[in-house]
Amino acid sequence: IERILDRLDDLGLSENTVVCITSDHGEELFERGAQGHGLTLFEEQIHVPLIIAGPGVRPQALGEVFSAIDLMPTLLRQFGLSLPK
């Protein structure tokens, strides 16, 4: 992620670009002896990352529940734009 943000800065795009990284599910990487997803409901599979970086986005860590349906309204609201009907 740092390399992506650094590259945007090098290209002079960082002041006009928002980067949003998320996923539809987590991934088990041998924490409990298995690999993959879809077989358990352990934290490593149900915890989904959400990283938003860009101008006007203040660094913070939230412990709130997030749904992908919230992503567009959150980004639009962050930049003072209204939701389309």
Side-chain angles (χ1 to χ4, degrees):
I1 296 168
E2 182 180 17
R3 291 191 336 214
I4 292 169
L5 298 176
D6 286 346
R7 183 68 175 142
L8 287 170
D9 198 38
D10 292 345
L11 295 171
L13 299 173
S14 60
E15 292 300 317
N16 297 312
T17 304
V18 173
V19 176
C20 180
I21 299 170
T22 190
S23 175
D24 60 341
H25 57 76
E27 197 74 21
E28 190 172 356
L29 300 172
F30 299 107
E31 289 89 350
R32 300 174 200 286
Q35 177 183 10
H37 62 272
L39 301 175
T40 70
L41 294 176
F42 290 121
E43 183 70 15
E44 53 269 14
Q45 288 191 35
I46 62 172
H47 189 94
V48 176
L50 174 62
I51 299 168
I52 303 172
V57 178
R58 70 180 194 278
Q60 59 184 317
L62 303 175
E64 299 172 20
V65 174
F66 168 79
S67 176
I69 200 167
D70 299 320
L71 186 55
M72 185 175 75
T74 299
L75 290 172
L76 290 173
R77 195 171 31 250
Q78 172 71 29
F79 298 102
L81 301 171
S82 60
L83 283 168
K85 293 190 186 245

